[in-house]
Structures are given as structure tokens and as C-alpha cells.
Amino acid sequence: FMAGHGNCLSMSILFVAAARHLNFDSHFETVVVEPSWTHEGETMIRYEHIVAAGNLGSSKYVVDFLAQFIGERGPSTRVTDEQALALYYGNLAVEAIVTGDLDASVYKSLQSLKLWPKNSNTWSNLGTAYRRKGDSQLAEASYRRALSLSRDNYSALSNLTRFYLLEGRESEADIYLRRVSRYYRRNPYYHLQVARMQIQTGDFEGARANLERATRLKKDDPVLVEALSDVYEKLKDQGASRQDTPRVKTLSPE
């Protein structure tokens, strides 16, 4: 509150605490929303949404701090205070992955799992932290645990597929790749990663095609637009490159 900023979780926690102080019924609910993707270095993050809710007489109220989801929310599920706290530690774990503090990420993930041991997303994030630490056995076990809890956790499917590819276990990767092909097509940062690998092998036309798909999926991300502009330069498509360059400058942070 004093800092004047927060995400849907921290704001919902603040509201629930204030409401209960005034003896209003209030609790937490997680809400199904369309996946939104961001890009932080080499990390893909799927955001989960949480709201405050309660009963006022015979009516239910919902307090949603993210206006873009109002009117687009899917089914909601009530979660306990302990599960909301688990999501808080899960957020810290993801932030630690982004900053490269892998020991902290493992520690925060384990704190989260003590409170909510059946949270599939936290197990998947823990697997990523272990993979980056070089602990293949624990990484695979964490990813597989995530999928045992939720077989349709596409982030966990994607992470396990990538893990098998990095380990050279292509036959196992192929099994999961078929399950996540549809998910991949919807994820602009998957196309970015493929394009980067194609650039390394000199396949600039393939990279251009993937980056154009990525920018169609998420038009206003300067990381994607700049990558596409760089590929145009490599293809010596000066006209396309000049066309995209001013947009890159506009979207890029100061």
C-alpha cells in the first residue's frame, strides 16, 4: 500500500485483510482467463489470475483489480488463505528464476509447495529451476510430478519436452511434442525461440516465418519486433527493415 503498486495477488490480499478487519465475508478465488505471455530474458511466464470475493447478504461480490479481465473471466475456484500464500511464494520463485537466483527459486518453490503441495504450476517452475542448476534428475521428477497433478498443464508439457530435447532424448520428446503442438502454435515466444535456433544455423527464411507468426500473435512486443527487424537485415531486405525500425524504437523502453 505504501509503495503504491502491486499485482492482482498482493492487491487481493490487501483487500481481504481490510474486509475481514471490518467483519465482511471475504476470501480468495483463482480465475480461469485466456493465457497471456510475457518475455523476460529466456523465460516464458504464464500468469494466473486471482480475485477477492465474498457474500453480502444473498448476493456475491467480486473485486477484480485487473480491468482487462472484467467480463472475460472463466470459471473461478475458491482457494484457502494458505493456498493464496503459496501463490505469493510461487511468484517470488518465478521472479528469482528471471533474475538468475536459482537457489532462491528452489527455496521459494519448496516454501510454496509446503502450503500447496498439489499446485502443478509450482512443480513445473521448480523443475525449471533445477534444470538451470544442472540437476537433471530432480528437474525431470518435478516436471513429471506437475503433469501427474494436471495432465493438461501445457507449460509443464512444454518444459518437459524442452528438457528431453536438451538431454538428447528425442523419442521421449516426440511423445510430448505431439500433445503440445497446438499450445506451441499459440505461444509467440515459442516461435521466437525456434527463430533464434534457426538464425544460429543460418536458416534466416525460416526464422523470418516464425518471427512473423510471433508478431501476429503479439503485435506490440518490442523484443519480437526487433528480432524480426534484425532478420530482415540479415536477409538484406532493406525495405522491410526500414519499415520496422521506427516501430522498434517506439516500442522499446527508454
Side-chain angles (χ1 to χ4, degrees):
F1 177 79
M2 295 302 296
H5 64 83
N7 58 23
C8 62
L9 175 59
S10 58
M11 295 298 290
S12 295
I13 290 173
L14 182 62
F15 179 89
V16 169
R20 290 178 181 174
H21 179 71
L22 297 174
N23 295 317
F24 282 97
D25 177 59
S26 192
H27 61 264
F28 301 99
E29 293 184 2
T30 55
V31 182
V32 175
V33 295
E34 283 298 312
S36 58
W37 301 92
T38 189
H39 186 266
E40 301 288 349
E42 294 296 320
T43 302
M44 292 181 290
I45 301 170
R46 181 174 183 173
Y47 289 104
E48 293 181 294
H49 191 38
I50 193 167
V51 298
N55 295 308
L56 291 176
S58 60
S59 300
K60 178 181 178 178
Y61 71 85
V62 175
V63 179
D64 192 334
F65 288 97
L66 296 182
Q68 65 265 37
F69 293 135
I70 296 176
E72 299 181 2
R73 292 190 298 261
S76 62
T77 303
R78 181 166 178 167
V79 296
T80 66
D81 291 358
E82 288 76 15
Q83 289 171 326
L85 183 58
L87 291 175
Y88 167 76
Y89 285 119
N91 282 354
L92 294 181
V94 170
E95 291 174 6
I97 289 176
V98 171
T99 60
D101 191 347
L102 300 177
D103 289 334
S105 181
V106 169
Y107 178 68
K108 295 300 182 185
S109 293
L110 293 175
Q111 283 183 295
S112 179
L113 290 168
K114 285 180 181 179
L115 294 162
W116 194 351
K118 293 186 177 181
N119 189 312
S120 177
N121 288 328
T122 304
W123 279 105
S124 179
N125 292 336
L126 178 60
T128 296
Y130 279 136
R131 178 181 63 78
R132 293 191 178 192
K133 281 173 62 68
D135 195 327
S136 297
Q137 186 174 0
L138 286 177
E140 181 179 7
S142 298
Y143 289 143
R144 295 183 70 89
R145 177 59 174 163
L147 290 174
S148 73
L149 293 168
S150 176
R151 68 182 305 275
D152 292 326
N153 185 331
Y154 291 113
S155 294
L157 282 168
S158 175
N159 288 335
L160 184 58
T161 303
R162 186 165 186 264
F163 169 80
Y164 284 140
L165 288 172
L166 291 171
E167 292 286 306
R169 297 159 64 178
E170 295 184 2
S171 60
E172 291 167 283
D174 286 342
I175 296 172
Y176 291 98
L177 187 59
R178 288 193 292 270
R179 293 175 59 184
V180 296
S181 59
R182 183 177 178 184
Y183 160 76
Y184 281 157
R185 289 195 296 269
R186 295 170 54 196
N187 183 348
Y189 302 110
Y190 166 73
H191 294 297
L192 174 64
Q193 288 186 338
V194 172
R196 285 175 169 167
M197 290 188 288
Q198 289 170 323
I199 289 170
Q200 291 177 356
T201 61
D203 182 8
F204 300 128
E205 280 292 347
R208 176 193 59 77
N210 271 293
L211 288 169
E212 286 179 349
R213 292 189 193 101
T215 54
R216 284 196 297 270
L217 289 166
K218 193 163 187 177
K219 299 178 181 178
D220 295 327
D221 188 329
V223 173
L224 300 176
V225 178
E226 188 165 10
L228 179 58
S229 181
D230 289 343
V231 168
Y232 283 147
E233 288 282 2
K234 288 179 170 57
L235 288 168
K236 303 187 184 303
D237 188 349
Q238 297 299 318
S241 180
R242 285 195 300 271
Q243 181 181 353
D244 268 39
T245 299
R247 188 169 179 230
V248 171
K249 290 180 179 178
T250 301
L251 293 172
S252 297
E254 294 295 330

